[in-house]
């Protein structure tokens, strides 16, 4: 068996606030294999982004992560910054919802891209520029040779996202972390970016962690899906199982509450009642029980552990089958 | 046959002057946010407006409510021309038409309590109501939209996004309006909350006989809630039809592309799908293409598209499309 | 659903307003609270001076001319070259300085807020004209204006309140205008419009309450600025006159006798510095407490 590209064990991320500690991520363990695409789904406050901010060492100053994060077997949580810098950007890189957060508005794209190659790869200026143009070509930016001299704000939203993807791919990372990469884009442009990611996944064989709140985005791209709620993993399964046979009431509720374009006839949308959890005041027992239609007395007192239910799938729920108690 | 329209919009235009207003003139660009849009809205009907950023859907919603000045065209409200009303009569009419916003928290004044926020339209139009009566009406309204009436003295920041949207809805319906413009009302909400708000709007519509103009970029939500759907692109109508024909039989290449671009939460369908991916980006609304605005990204575009903007033509019952090459998706 | 509804279905829950939040944060800030206490103490002492059974500020003690502090006889700050009790005179000077600070700040608050909110809300041409007027007033050299006023109307204290107030509202107007312009685009203003709420009500109910945060902070910065301005003018000899005093005149006189009686400049300066520091701490505390980014 090969070592996974990313192995996260017992990751807990805590933020210190004047109102008390907030556990954004609690005891999360998972792995991503080589060439695999893992979809991470959850609502706001589910901790889905903070997992990867912890992995990348990008937590806000009041945040602390504990546990273990291994990139191709090497522990990177808590290592000195210069060691971490050799890993991030080179072996794993991250793209964000808003490309402007990771592009410097005062530097040309050329300057920003060549800088990465010159520091990480030790290339000279002209070789770096050539590699950068190749990469822009690869993410299908027309006239890359001319456009590389432009500033980030001169690109449209979709093109900017492509530039950011190109920058993330410069050093040939084994893992690309994409945090809501299409959320800010129009739907036709989103389709273009999703197509691009699919193509890159096929061509490069790199692993992708795709973080999103939109189940539709994951359906086409992910091999496996991890569903987050209140800072914990509630379900983990292959994409097909997640969408066709969800085992956790939250996953089931999410799928049912989405209006679908391919469905005919108007029926009332099924809903998940209540409000998303407040991380500062999480309910006891199962975090989801106040909103769960299957909840039984046990759910309020005992927190279900993530347990294996089948080969390659797991859930954190006391029930064995949904529909046991209706 | 069909009842008289509640609202009748004819050739509506909203243009913005962008650029310098300096003494020396400077460059002056005109942004044609809404450029010649016409439609009728029947009582109790939901009209969905879909389109991507810059298509003018939000501008259109605000222009209908006369929150923005018109460059041309007419909006008739139950037969009277809104543009001819003086400020005082217009203010009186405002109790009949309301708006719900995308960002629920930003649409509520952070310094006011929920009770004060919901009561504001009521006391604006009925200043003589007794305080106790206002409070009762507000509490009744809170219960109606699924908020606990005992939370009346709380402030917006103490509520979640979905609850804030409910507060916004309570404020919109307290005067029992005839029309509500919903400007992306669920886009900022979590998936599990979106369905709650969509259901609430549909229930309220059935109960109060409201007409809704539902603006969204999410085609699936629009399909779910609307009776008729209008597709906009760079300030112009591309296609307008009743819901079922628009989704089952889209005739405009843009509608077809939009439909195909929406990801479906089903891996089998999603992977097998022949996606009709548009090339290129949206053109700048400041400098739209000549002729048909969609021609730069259109797979069917020919020479005529660059010269002539195709007129919006009826192609069937309740189905109009503006395309020289309108037709079902080919192979 | 939630336990709140089960426990008390009828009882109305009290809300936690943004102001209450800010108060809680402010009270948690030690420096700001200490500053506030010091400020209150100095204000009470200054204005309570006639009722505290202290010496009359005009009393002259011929035995103690330019005497150093003497606790046994109750001359805590010593005396000046006329044998008057410096402690009492400092308190008396505080009345003038604090009054100037307060009145000028109030003038700037009222004029500045209304001017700025109107310009920002009405926008367009009205805004342009109103803000150009502010620019023109800005360009008049302040000291020159005061000199001119004293030459024409003679020296009097009311005139100085007026002059300082007339100048200090300019900054306030600019701050409030900037705030208003950004708040005007918020959706809750649009919602009020769509409901038919009148312009006046939108300004007073929606815009001004949401501008108040930065305004309050700026006020605490205006007070020390005004006190310094008053001291400066009095130091130049154009402000308060004998036998009245202000911190500025006391320091000015003290400087003249600095070599023989250093306490005469030291103590009034010290009181003034402590007051200004306290005001700045309070201002910082308010800024942190009201800063929405903290949320």
């Amino acid at each position: 068996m090969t070592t996974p590209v990313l192995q996260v064990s017992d990751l807990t991320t805590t933020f210190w606030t004047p109102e008390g500690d907030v556990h954004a991520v609690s005891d999360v363990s998972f792995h991503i294999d080589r060439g695999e695409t893992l979809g991470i789904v959850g609502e706001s406050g589910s901790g889905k982004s903070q997992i990867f901010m912890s992995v990348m060492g990008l937590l806000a100053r009041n945040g602390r992560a504990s546990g273990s994060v291994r990139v191709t077997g090497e522990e990177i949580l808590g290592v000195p910054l210069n060691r971490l810098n050799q890993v991030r950007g080179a072996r794993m890189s991250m793209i964000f919802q808003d490309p402007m957060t990771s592009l410097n508005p005062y530097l040309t794209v050329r300057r920003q891209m060549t800088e990465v190659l010159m520091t990480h790869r030790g290339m000279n200026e002209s070789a770096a520029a050539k590699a950068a143009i190749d990469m822009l070509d690869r993410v299908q930016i027309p006239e890359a040779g001319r456009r590389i001299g432009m500033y980030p704000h001169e690109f449209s939203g979709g093109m900017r996202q492509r530039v950011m993807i190109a920058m993330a791919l410069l050093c040939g990372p084994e893992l690309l972390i994409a945090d809501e990469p299409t959320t800010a884009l129009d739907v036709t442009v989103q389709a273009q970016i999703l197509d691009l990611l699919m193509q890159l996944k096929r061509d490069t064989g790199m692993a992708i962690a795709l973080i999103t709140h939109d189940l539709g985005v994951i359906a086409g791209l992910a091999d496996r899906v991890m569903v987050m709620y209140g800072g914990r993993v509630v379900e983990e399964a292959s994409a097909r199982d997640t969408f066709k046979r969800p085992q956790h009431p939250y996953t089931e509720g999410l799928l049912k509450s989405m209006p679908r374009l391919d469905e005919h006839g108007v029926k009332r949308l099924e809903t998940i009642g209540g409000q998303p959890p407040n991380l500062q005041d999480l309910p006891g027992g199962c975090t989801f029980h106040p909103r769960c239609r299957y909840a039984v007395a046990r759910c309020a007192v005992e927190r279900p552990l993530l347990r294996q239910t089948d080969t390659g799938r797991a859930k954190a729920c006391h029930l064995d089958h949904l529909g046991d108690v209706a | 046959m069909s009842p008289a329209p509640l609202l009748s919009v004819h050739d509506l235009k909203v243009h913005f002057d962008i650029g310098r207003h300096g003494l020396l003139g400077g460059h002056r660009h005109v942004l044609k946010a809404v450029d010649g849009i016409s439609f009728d809205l029947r009582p109790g009907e939901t009209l969905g407006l879909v389109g991507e950023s810059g298509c003018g859907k939000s501008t259109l919603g605000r222009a209908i409510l006369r929150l923005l000045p018109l460059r041309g065209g007419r909006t008739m409200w139950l037969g009277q021309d809104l543009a001819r009303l003086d400020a005082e009569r217009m203010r009186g009419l405002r109790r009949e038409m309301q708006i719900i916003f995308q960002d629920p928290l930003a649409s509520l004044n952070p310094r006011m309590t929920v009770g004060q926020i919901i009561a504001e339209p009521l006391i604006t139009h009925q200043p003589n109501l007794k305080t106790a009566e206002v409070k009762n009406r507000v509490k009744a309204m809170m219960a109606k939209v699924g908020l606990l009436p005992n939370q009346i003295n709380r402030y917006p920041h103490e509520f979640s996004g979905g609850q804030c949207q409910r507060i916004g809805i309570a404020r919109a319906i307290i005067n029992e309006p005839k029309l509500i413009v919903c400007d992306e009302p669920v886009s900022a909400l979590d998936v599990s909350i979106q369905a709650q708000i969509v259901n609430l709007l549909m229930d309220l519509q059935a109960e109060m006989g409201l007409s809704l103009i539902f603006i969204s970029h999410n085609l699936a939500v629009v399909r779910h809630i609307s009776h008729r759907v209008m597709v906009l692109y760079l300030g112009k109508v591309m296609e307008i039809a009743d819901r079922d024909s628009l989704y089952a039989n889209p005739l405009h290449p843009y509608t077809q592309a939009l439909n195909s671009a929406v990801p479906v939460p089903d891996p089998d369908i999603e992977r097998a799908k022949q996606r009709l991916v548009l090339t290129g980006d949206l053109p700048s609304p400041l400098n739209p293409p000549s002729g048909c605005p969609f021609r730069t990204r259109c797979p069917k575009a020919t020479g005529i598209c660059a010269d002539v903007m195709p007129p919006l033509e009826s192609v069937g019952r309740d189905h109009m499309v503006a395309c020289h090459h309108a037709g079902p998706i080919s192979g | 659903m939630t336990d709140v509804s089960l426990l008390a279905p009828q009882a109305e829950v009290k809300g936690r307003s943004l102001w209450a939040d800010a108060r809680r944060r402010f009270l948690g800030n030690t420096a700001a609270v200490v500053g506030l206490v010091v400020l209150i103490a100095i204000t009470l002492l200054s204005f309570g001076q006639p009722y505290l059974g202290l010496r009359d500020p005009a009393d002259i003690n011929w035995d103690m001319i330019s005497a150093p502090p003497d606790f046994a006889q109750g001359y805590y700050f010593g005396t000046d070259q006329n044998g008057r009790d410096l402690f009492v005179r400092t308190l008396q000077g505080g009345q003038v300085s604090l009054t100037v600070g307060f009145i000028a700040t109030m003038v700037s608050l009222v004029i500045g807020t209304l001017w700025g909110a109107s310009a920002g809300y009405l926008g367009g041409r009205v805004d342009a004209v109103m803000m150009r007027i502010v620019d023109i007033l800005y360009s008049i050299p302040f000291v020159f204006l005061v000199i001119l006023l004293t030459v024409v109307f003679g020296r009097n204290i009311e005139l100085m309140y007026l002059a300082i107030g007339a100048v200090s509202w300019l900054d306030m107007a600019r701050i409030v205008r900037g705030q208003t312009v950004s708040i005007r685009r918020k959706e809750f203003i649009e919602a009020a419009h769509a409901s038919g709420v009148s312009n006046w009500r939108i300004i007073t109910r929606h815009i001004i309450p949401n501008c108040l945060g930065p305004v309050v902070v700026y006020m605490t910065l205006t007070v020390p600025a005004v006190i310094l301005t008053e001291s400066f003018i009095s130091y130049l000899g154009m402000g308060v006159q004998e036998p009245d005093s202000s911190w500025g005149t006391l320091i000015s006189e003290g400087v003249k006798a600095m070599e023989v009686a250093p306490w005469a400049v030291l103590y009034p300066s010290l009181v003034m510095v402590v007051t200004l520091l306290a005001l700045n701490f309070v201002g910082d505390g308010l800024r942190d407490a009201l800063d929405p980014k903290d949320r």
Side-chain angles (χ1 to χ4, degrees):
Chain A
M1 208 176 120
T2 53
T3 27
V5 174
L6 181 69
Q7 173 82 55
V8 171
S9 318
D10 302 320
L11 181 74
T12 294
T13 303
T14 311
F15 288 92
W16 181 90
T17 72
E19 278 82 27
D21 284 0
V22 174
H23 298 281
V25 179
S26 307
D27 294 325
V28 168
S29 303
F30 66 95
H31 67 94
I32 303 178
D33 285 326
R34 279 178 199 284
E36 185 186 39
T37 300
L38 177 70
I40 298 99
V41 200
E43 298 177 274
S44 54
S46 63
K48 59 186 191 299
S49 293
Q50 293 308 331
I51 292 179
F52 289 93
M53 294 306 251
S54 312
V55 167
M56 290 290 283
L58 294 174
L59 286 178
R61 273 167 62 191
N62 60 343
R64 254 197 84 250
S66 65
S68 153
V69 175
R70 287 171 186 278
V71 175
T72 52
E74 183 187 340
E75 178 65 49
I76 59 159
L77 198 65
V79 300
L81 196 62
N82 56 358
R83 184 73 206 101
L84 183 61
N85 278 338
Q86 287 169 9
V87 176
R88 60 179 184 192
R91 278 155 66 191
M92 60 176 181
S93 47
M94 187 160 179
I95 59 176
F96 300 90
Q97 176 176 342
D98 178 6
M100 284 313 263
T101 55
S102 48
L103 295 173
N104 183 335
Y106 298 107
L107 297 180
T108 60
V109 168
R110 180 197 178 96
R111 177 87 188 277
Q112 298 183 52
M113 291 184 81
T114 51
E115 213 164 64
V116 175
L117 286 172
M118 284 153 68
T119 31
H120 277 294
R121 285 283 169 90
M123 287 184 178
N124 65 27
E125 164 88 48
S126 63
K130 195 175 168 305
I133 292 172
D134 284 349
M135 191 51 78
L136 290 180
D137 266 334
R138 193 141 168 217
V139 298
Q140 296 150 23
I141 290 183
E143 303 175 75
R146 185 176 66 80
R147 295 233 194 163
I148 194 169
M150 300 188 350
Y151 289 89
H153 67 89
E154 296 177 272
F155 290 85
S156 68
M159 284 298 153
R160 226 178 271 154
Q161 195 60 270
R162 285 173 196 269
V163 170
M164 192 165 67
I165 293 173
M167 279 189 69
L169 298 184
L170 274 179
C171 294
E174 288 156 274
L175 172 66
L176 176 70
I177 301 168
D179 188 358
E180 304 265 9
T182 61
T183 305
L185 302 176
D186 280 314
V187 60
T188 56
V189 181
Q190 162 173 296
Q192 295 170 0
I193 298 292
L194 290 179
D195 266 15
L196 174 66
L197 285 176
M198 232 177 278
Q199 209 174 320
L200 290 170
K201 175 189 165 183
R202 252 199 327 264
D203 297 351
T204 62
M206 69 180 167
I208 300 178
L210 182 64
I211 306 163
T212 179
H213 69 281
D214 186 346
L215 286 160
V217 166
I218 275 186
L221 214 54
D223 303 310
R224 254 182 333 125
V225 176
M226 187 164 96
V227 183
M228 301 280 304
Y229 188 83
R232 292 178 193 275
V233 179
V234 293
E235 179 161 10
E236 201 185 324
S238 73
R240 206 151 182 284
D241 283 341
T242 309
F243 286 97
K244 300 279 180 179
R245 287 185 303 278
Q247 286 190 340
H248 194 281
Y250 175 62
T251 318
E252 185 199 58
L254 266 189
L255 283 165
K256 282 192 176 163
S257 64
M258 274 184 82
R260 288 175 58 157
L261 205 54
D262 60 333
E263 241 165 32
H264 302 276
V266 191
K267 56 179 195 311
R268 232 180 120 74
L269 289 174
E270 287 198 35
T271 61
I272 304 179
Q275 305 299 323
N278 176 359
L279 285 175
Q280 292 189 348
D281 184 22
L282 284 176
C286 171
T287 341
F288 185 60
H289 86 265
R291 303 176 69 190
C292 181
R293 50 193 292 234
Y294 304 105
V296 293
R298 184 182 172 198
C299 301
V301 284
E302 187 188 336
R303 187 162 54 74
L305 298 173
L306 191 67
R307 62 193 166 102
Q308 196 96 12
T309 55
D310 227 327
T311 26
R313 61 181 312 184
K315 69 167 172 178
C317 180
H318 293 306
L319 300 176
D320 288 323
H321 303 286
L322 297 187
D324 275 3
V325 201
Chain B
M1 208 178 77
S2 57
L6 175 72
L7 179 78
S8 182
V9 173
H10 184 72
D11 198 27
L12 195 74
K13 289 184 175 138
V14 184
H15 296 180
F16 298 108
D17 287 333
I18 308 281
R20 288 163 45 86
H21 295 271
L23 290 172
L24 302 174
H27 280 300
R28 187 168 267 210
H29 296 284
V30 176
L31 192 155
K32 297 180 177 178
V34 170
D35 200 23
I37 288 180
S38 309
F39 66 91
D40 283 350
L41 182 70
R42 297 159 205 149
E45 180 187 43
T46 302
L47 176 69
L49 300 189
V50 288
E52 299 176 277
S53 54
C55 74
K57 54 191 192 297
S58 292
T59 308
L60 177 59
R62 283 164 170 74
I64 290 166
L65 299 181
R66 244 187 84 176
L67 292 172
L68 289 172
L70 305 184
R71 176 61 57 93
R74 265 199 330 243
T75 36
M76 306 289 282
W77 176 262
L78 292 168
Q80 53 181 330
D81 190 341
L82 288 186
R84 296 185 180 214
L85 291 181
D86 58 46
E88 207 40 52
R89 302 239 332 261
M90 186 63 219
R91 259 173 31 83
L93 251 189
R94 292 215 177 273
R95 64 180 293 181
E96 315 244 293
M97 44 182 95
Q98 277 296 324
I99 180 164
I100 305 170
F101 298 91
Q102 171 169 11
D103 183 341
L105 195 55
S107 70
L108 308 175
N109 184 341
R111 309 271 172 203
M112 281 161 76
T113 65
V114 172
Q116 291 170 328
I117 290 169
I118 299 176
E120 184 162 61
L122 189 64
I123 52 185
T124 300
H125 292 283
Q126 299 177 55
N128 300 324
L129 274 187
K130 293 213 171 54
T131 320
E133 168 70 9
V134 169
K135 197 164 178 180
N136 281 337
R137 299 265 294 268
V138 168
K139 284 187 166 181
M141 217 39 74
M142 288 177 74
K144 195 168 185 165
V145 298
L147 293 166
L148 294 173
N150 66 356
Q151 312 268 310
I152 188 166
N153 291 326
R154 291 200 166 235
Y155 289 84
H157 66 100
E158 300 176 273
F159 292 87
S160 68
Q163 289 171 316
C164 283
Q165 197 56 287
R166 288 176 196 268
I167 298 169
I169 293 173
R171 169 177 62 189
I173 61 171
I174 195 161
N175 275 326
E176 298 180 352
K178 295 194 171 76
L179 166 70
I180 299 181
V181 171
C182 310
D183 187 7
E184 302 262 12
V186 298
S187 307
L189 303 177
D190 278 318
V191 179
S192 72
I193 305 301
Q194 286 186 0
Q196 295 178 3
I197 298 296
V198 167
N199 281 345
L200 174 64
L201 285 171
M202 290 177 84
D203 291 347
L204 290 173
Q205 173 172 49
E207 191 186 324
M208 304 173 68
L210 290 168
S211 294
L212 300 179
I213 290 180
F214 193 92
I215 301 167
S216 180
H217 67 276
N218 184 330
L219 275 87
V221 173
V222 168
R223 170 175 200 174
H224 189 81
I225 199 171
S226 307
H227 301 110
R228 276 195 307 149
V229 179
M230 184 157 92
V231 181
L232 299 177
Y233 190 80
L234 291 185
K236 293 199 160 70
V237 179
M238 298 287 107
E239 186 164 7
I240 178 168
D242 70 89
R243 186 237 337 257
D244 291 334
S245 29
L246 189 98
Y247 284 92
N249 183 27
L251 296 176
H252 197 287
Y254 180 58
T255 318
Q256 291 160 3
L258 270 183
N259 264 329
S260 137
V262 177
V264 173
D266 182 323
D268 294 344
I269 298 178
E270 196 55 24
R271 275 158 224 224
K273 186 155 87 179
Q274 270 299 323
R275 217 189 277 258
L276 178 65
V277 174
L278 293 177
T279 52
D281 285 318
L282 284 156
S284 158
L286 271 175
N287 187 17
S290 64
C292 172
F294 183 56
R295 70 174 166 85
T296 51
R297 301 172 75 197
C298 181
K300 291 182 175 177
T302 56
I304 187 175
C305 303
D307 301 329
V308 186
M309 168 67 204
L312 192 63
E313 282 175 338
S314 195
V315 289
R317 200 175 153 270
D318 246 344
H319 196 150
M320 294 170 92
V321 60
C323 181
H324 295 299
H325 310 290
I329 306 166
S330 47
Chain C
M1 197 172 74
T2 48
D3 36 1
V4 180
S5 65
L6 295 174
L7 290 173
Q10 289 309 312
E12 284 170 12
V13 180
K14 184 132 172 44
R16 201 162 44 90
S17 73
L18 293 180
W19 293 115
D21 267 4
R23 191 167 57 231
R24 191 175 46 79
R25 275 198 293 268
F26 182 84
L27 292 177
N29 182 336
T30 321
V33 173
V34 169
L36 190 64
V37 169
V38 168
L39 210 57
I40 291 174
I42 290 179
T43 310
L44 285 180
L45 275 173
S46 292
F47 288 94
Q49 169 259 326
Y51 317 105
L52 290 176
L54 298 165
R55 288 185 190 80
D56 190 282
D59 270 0
I60 293 172
N61 185 341
W62 296 104
D63 298 331
M64 302 201 51
I65 303 273
S66 289
D70 183 345
F71 281 78
Q73 295 197 49
Y75 286 104
Y76 305 111
F77 288 2
T79 61
D80 62 7
Q81 64 269 47
N82 293 327
R84 292 176 296 190
D85 184 346
L86 258 180
F87 179 64
V88 178
R89 287 194 41 89
T90 304
L91 292 186
Q92 186 205 22
Q95 291 172 21
V96 172
S97 291
L98 291 172
T99 309
V100 172
F102 181 76
I103 291 186
T105 304
M106 280 302 137
V107 170
S108 89
L109 175 71
V110 173
I111 303 182
T113 306
L114 283 177
W115 192 276
S118 305
Y121 181 72
L122 297 172
R125 218 169 280 271
V126 181
D127 179 28
V129 171
M130 287 177 85
M131 293 324 283
R132 286 309 80 74
I133 291 175
V134 169
D135 290 345
I136 291 167
L137 291 177
Y138 244 117
S139 63
I140 298 175
F142 174 63
V143 177
F144 180 70
L145 176 78
V146 173
I147 294 173
L148 210 69
L149 283 174
T150 43
V151 167
V152 176
F153 297 102
R155 293 197 216 168
N156 73 57
I157 187 97
E158 287 78 18
L159 197 69
M160 204 161 65
Y161 292 161
L162 196 80
I164 297 177
V167 172
S168 53
W169 68 270
L170 299 174
D171 283 320
M172 187 66 89
R174 284 188 168 171
I175 287 171
V176 174
R177 177 185 170 272
Q179 283 288 312
T180 307
V181 166
S182 72
I183 290 169
R184 192 181 59 170
R185 300 202 186 99
K186 290 262 170 72
E187 288 178 338
F188 65 84
I189 302 292
E190 213 173 1
H193 259 304
S195 301
V197 179
S198 65
N199 277 350
W200 173 248
R201 213 177 132 82
I202 288 180
I203 292 183
T204 53
R205 288 267 286 178
H206 294 282
I207 290 187
I208 290 184
N210 283 290
C211 290
L212 280 185
V215 166
V216 168
V217 172
Y218 190 70
M219 262 174 65
T220 62
L221 300 176
T222 308
V223 178
V226 168
I227 291 178
L228 280 174
T229 310
E230 183 275 333
S231 303
F232 175 58
I233 295 172
S234 295
Y235 183 88
L236 292 181
M238 285 180 290
V240 183
Q241 284 184 330
E242 290 280 345
D244 277 341
S245 68
S246 75
W247 289 339
T249 51
L250 286 176
I251 294 168
S252 164
E253 281 164 24
V255 166
K256 288 177 201 149
M258 200 156 64
E259 275 156 30
V260 286
W263 54 88
V265 66
L266 184 67
Y267 287 103
S269 311
L270 213 60
V271 172
M272 189 165 101
V273 167
V274 167
T275 309
L276 299 189
L277 267 179
L279 272 164
N280 277 316
F281 280 136
V282 171
D284 278 356
L286 281 174
R287 192 195 56 215
D288 292 346
L290 294 168
D291 193 346
K293 266 175 287 185
D294 207 36
R295 298 212 57 78

